[in-house]
Amino acid sequence: MGDVAKDLAAGTVGGVANLIVGHPFDTIKVKLQSQPTPAPGHLPKYAGAVDAVKQTIAAEGPRGLYKGMGAPLATVAAFNAVLFTVRGQMEALLRSEPGHPLTVKQQVVAGAGAGVAVSFLACPTELIKCRLQAQSALAEAAAASGVALPKGPIDVAKHVVREAGTKGLFKGLVPTMGREVPGNAVMFGVYEATKQYLAGGQDTSNLGRGSLILAGGLAGAAFWLSVYPTDVVKSVIQVDDYKKPRYSGSVDAFKKILAADGVKGLYKGFGPAMARSVPANAATFVAYEITRSALG
């Protein structure tokens, strides 16, 4: 099996692990990000992450925490295959000689390149996922227009295409790239730096699973710490109405979030995102490394 095929297989396994572990946290993050600013004197729909979990389970049962999972599950193979395969190919280009480990700086470059590639897959997938996860916030607008809310990923995709054409699936591409490119650069850089620190040098091949879990968890946390406000902008744009949008673009969304909620508005849902990042990314990297190693 060639290196590309190995990266494809290992990336897929890593992505599935990430999704199973992290999706409930992601659902709560999006619900908090997309809830509208309450009118003066009124309380927000969700008081916080714990309240969002309680309301979601009360209204939809535990399955509500996995709402929107169909879209990323259907594309997780392609997304993670591209992420790890492009990263692997960039590693090959940057490597001074076959088998020689890359420096942290080189891993940052490889991660950024992988981020560019996956943005075009992430954008439509994230749009469908976010619109499903945020349906409670969209319910009033749908009721007012007499339009029933879509019931699943395919239904959401059809609805978006009817509303805005195929290009509507790529709404929020700019902030998606603004998240994926620097986010993956930081994530892979931190992952490699942590592994080399724990190994005491560039040869990290003998690290145990505990070290990989630690490195993967720190890498995931670094991803969200570096790009979280961009993710908030992406989410509000992707759940915005197509015919009567509140935001004209990323800059407009950024300004309006600041005007309505201040800097804290750019960190709505930050708690669930960070709570998710450590176990989900630890699972991703460990699953990837174990699968890649098993394939030789």
Side-chain angles (χ1 to χ4, degrees):
M1 184 182 286
D3 287 340
V4 172
K6 292 174 184 176
D7 283 330
L8 286 169
T12 299
V13 174
V16 172
N18 180 296
L19 198 60
I20 292 172
V21 173
H23 194 78
F25 295 96
D26 189 64
T27 296
I28 299 305
K29 171 181 73 72
V30 172
K31 283 179 178 286
L32 291 172
Q33 287 177 338
S34 59
Q35 65 174 329
T37 301
H42 291 75
L43 296 174
K45 180 175 177 61
Y46 304 114
V50 174
D51 183 48
V53 171
K54 290 179 179 178
Q55 288 195 43
T56 299
I57 293 176
E60 307 171 61
R63 290 176 61 184
L65 295 172
Y66 283 91
K67 201 164 191 177
M69 186 172 169
L73 185 60
T75 56
V76 69
F79 179 89
N80 285 277
V82 169
L83 179 67
F84 283 97
T85 301
V86 172
R87 175 210 177 202
Q89 292 305 296
M90 289 200 67
E91 284 181 332
L93 290 172
L94 295 167
R95 190 171 283 118
S96 58
E97 57 184 77
H100 195 272
L102 267 64
T103 65
V104 172
K105 289 182 179 180
Q106 288 172 321
Q107 285 289 358
V108 168
V109 174
V116 172
V118 299
S119 293
F120 293 94
L121 286 173
C123 186
T125 301
E126 290 266 316
L127 182 140
I128 292 169
K129 173 183 70 68
C130 286
R131 294 184 77 84
L132 280 170
Q133 290 172 323
Q135 277 187 346
S136 58
L138 300 172
E140 291 184 11
S145 62
V147 178
L149 286 171
K151 296 181 180 180
I154 295 176
D155 200 17
V156 170
K158 289 179 178 178
H159 177 77
V160 168
V161 172
R162 282 198 301 269
E163 289 279 308
T166 304
K167 68 178 183 179
L169 293 171
F170 289 89
K171 188 176 186 179
L173 179 60
V174 171
T176 298
M177 294 190 75
R179 182 190 73 175
E180 293 298 326
V181 176
N184 280 293
V186 170
M187 183 175 73
F188 283 110
V190 169
Y191 182 64
E192 188 63 27
T194 304
K195 287 201 303 177
Q196 290 187 15
Y197 174 78
L198 294 172
Q202 285 192 314
D203 184 4
T204 62
S205 59
N206 293 320
L207 287 176
R209 293 182 184 178
S211 296
L212 296 178
I213 289 172
L214 176 60
L218 289 175
F223 180 104
W224 288 110
L225 281 169
S226 63
V227 298
Y228 194 79
T230 307
D231 185 67
V232 174
V233 171
K234 178 200 71 67
S235 292
V236 299
I237 287 176
Q238 290 187 322
V239 302
D240 200 10
D241 189 70
Y242 283 93
K243 293 182 178 178
K244 295 181 180 179
R246 294 174 60 194
Y247 311 107
S248 62
S250 300
V251 174
D252 184 50
F254 180 81
K255 289 178 178 179
K256 286 180 177 176
I257 292 170
L258 278 179
D261 300 309
V263 175
K264 68 179 182 179
L266 295 169
Y267 287 89
K268 281 183 178 180
F270 184 67
M274 292 304 294
R276 170 190 179 276
S277 67
V278 175
N281 284 281
T284 300
F285 280 104
V286 170
Y288 170 81
E289 296 278 12
I290 291 174
T291 305
R292 189 66 171 77
S293 178
L295 293 174

